[in-house]
Amino acid sequence: GDVLLAVSTSGTSANVVAAVKQAAAIGVHTIALTGGSGGSLKEMADLCVNVPVEITPHIQEAHLWVEHLLCWLVDEILFGSFAVGGDD
């Protein structure tokens, strides 16, 4: 049930590509966040969220939004309703 979240602006970072290959070899599901053309990760990952632009800061800002959304979803699934602006 594990998932590897691979983040590479180019989709070709050697260490990230190697991690995805290893994860796939042991049966771990893979999700890639990429930019530009998606690089080799676009085809390797089980799911690829690609930001189809070439401007690195724009790609990274979009990745950050996706990462925050994933955190929110995990909180929601594990702990129930997510209270914004609660009494904490």
Side-chain angles (χ1 to χ4, degrees):
D2 292 333
V3 176
L4 171 71
L5 178 62
V7 182
S8 171
T9 301
S10 66
T12 61
S13 302
N15 58 335
V16 180
V17 169
V20 170
K21 284 181 182 176
Q22 183 61 37
I26 62 173
V28 173
H29 298 288
T30 57
I31 300 172
L33 299 181
T34 63
S37 69
S40 56
L41 289 176
K42 187 175 181 179
E43 301 302 322
M44 293 174 57
D46 296 318
L47 173 67
C48 181
V49 178
N50 184 57
V51 181
V53 298
E54 300 296 332
I55 303 167
T56 299
H58 293 184
I59 296 166
Q60 292 171 342
E61 285 294 326
H63 287 176
L64 186 58
W65 183 87
V66 172
E67 292 157 356
H68 281 289
L69 180 60
L70 288 172
C71 291
W72 177 79
L73 289 170
V74 168
D75 279 347
E76 188 69 25
I77 290 166
L78 293 178
F79 306 113
S81 293
F82 186 77
V84 177
D87 293 336
D88 306 348

